[in-house]
Amino acid sequence: FRAPGGGGRKMSARFLALLWLVLFGVYLLSAPGTFYFEDSPELMSASFTLGNSHPPGYGLMMMLGRLAMLAPVGSLPFRFNLLSAAAGAGAAVALGGFTFSLARFFTGRRIALAAGVFASGVWGLSDAFWWQSAIGAKYPLYYLLFISLVWSSWEAWRAPRDQAVRRLLMTGLLAGLAFAHH
C-alpha cells in the first residue's frame, strides 16, 4: 500500500518481507512437529479430508490447510502448522504496516517506522499470539484477514478518487475472504 503523493510515505516491501521472514522463522522454530490439543487435530483432519469442522466450519482455512499439506516437508501436522505460522507472521506484519501508515498520517517517517516495527514485534511476539501462530490454530488467519481489511479500508479512505475504487474492490475481496474463513 502506498499513500498519495509517494515520497517516502510507504513502508518498503523488502522491509516487510524481512520482518515476515523473522517472525515466520520464530514461529517455525517453536512449532510442534505434530498436532497440539485444542482445535488443531480437528482442523487438520478436516483439512486433510476437506470435511467440516465445528461451526462455523472455517472453509477458507480448510482449503488453505489442504494446500499446505501438499508441501514436501515434514509431517502432515507440521505442514498444517506452517499455514498457521505464515498467517501469524502475515498478521503481525500487516499490523506493523497499518500502524506505520496510520502514524505516518500524523508524524514523521522515522517515528512511524518505529511505531510499525514496535507494533509488529510486541504483538507478534506476545505469548498468546506466538502460541496460536505455532500450533495450527484458526486465529492467525482470522487476524491476518481482519487487519488487512482494516488497513485496506484506511488506505481506500486516504486514496485519491481515481484510486479509491480499486482500493475499495480490494477491501471487498478481503471482506469476502474473512467471511469465508469465519
Side-chain angles (χ1 to χ4, degrees):
F1 292 100
R2 189 163 61 109
R9 301 186 80 151
K10 67 176 183 173
M11 207 171 194
S12 165
R14 287 184 192 166
F15 183 75
L16 291 173
L18 178 64
L19 190 56
W20 182 88
L21 279 172
V22 167
L23 288 169
F24 180 70
V26 167
Y27 300 152
L28 198 60
L29 288 173
S30 55
T34 186
F35 64 86
Y36 182 79
F37 297 101
E38 292 183 8
D39 289 340
S40 72
E42 176 191 5
L43 295 174
M44 287 178 200
S45 61
S47 286
F48 185 72
T49 61
L50 288 179
N52 290 330
S53 66
H54 64 278
Y58 310 105
L60 180 63
M61 184 161 196
M62 297 305 102
M63 291 186 291
L64 293 175
R66 183 67 174 131
L67 286 174
M69 289 182 180
L70 298 175
V73 294
S75 65
L76 287 177
F78 179 75
R79 295 174 195 177
F80 188 80
N81 292 340
L82 286 176
L83 169 64
S84 190
V93 168
L95 179 65
F98 172 62
T99 303
F100 171 83
S101 182
L102 189 64
R104 187 68 181 104
F105 189 72
F106 298 104
T107 69
R109 181 170 172 72
R110 286 185 181 185
I111 293 172
L113 185 60
V117 171
F118 182 76
S120 259
V122 167
W123 190 54
L125 297 175
S126 68
D127 184 47
F129 187 74
W130 182 343
W131 183 244
Q132 293 296 316
S133 296
I135 65 166
K138 59 193 171 271
Y139 300 111
L141 181 59
Y142 172 74
Y143 290 133
L144 172 62
L145 292 168
F146 178 75
I147 294 167
S148 297
L149 179 62
V150 171
W151 188 13
S152 180
S153 299
W154 166 254
E155 293 293 335
W157 177 75
R158 294 182 48 212
R161 287 192 184 266
D162 61 329
Q163 295 178 8
V165 171
R166 189 181 79 210
R167 292 183 188 264
L168 285 172
L169 287 173
M170 174 60 83
T171 303
L173 173 67
L174 288 167
L177 288 173
F179 282 124
H181 174 56
H182 205 82

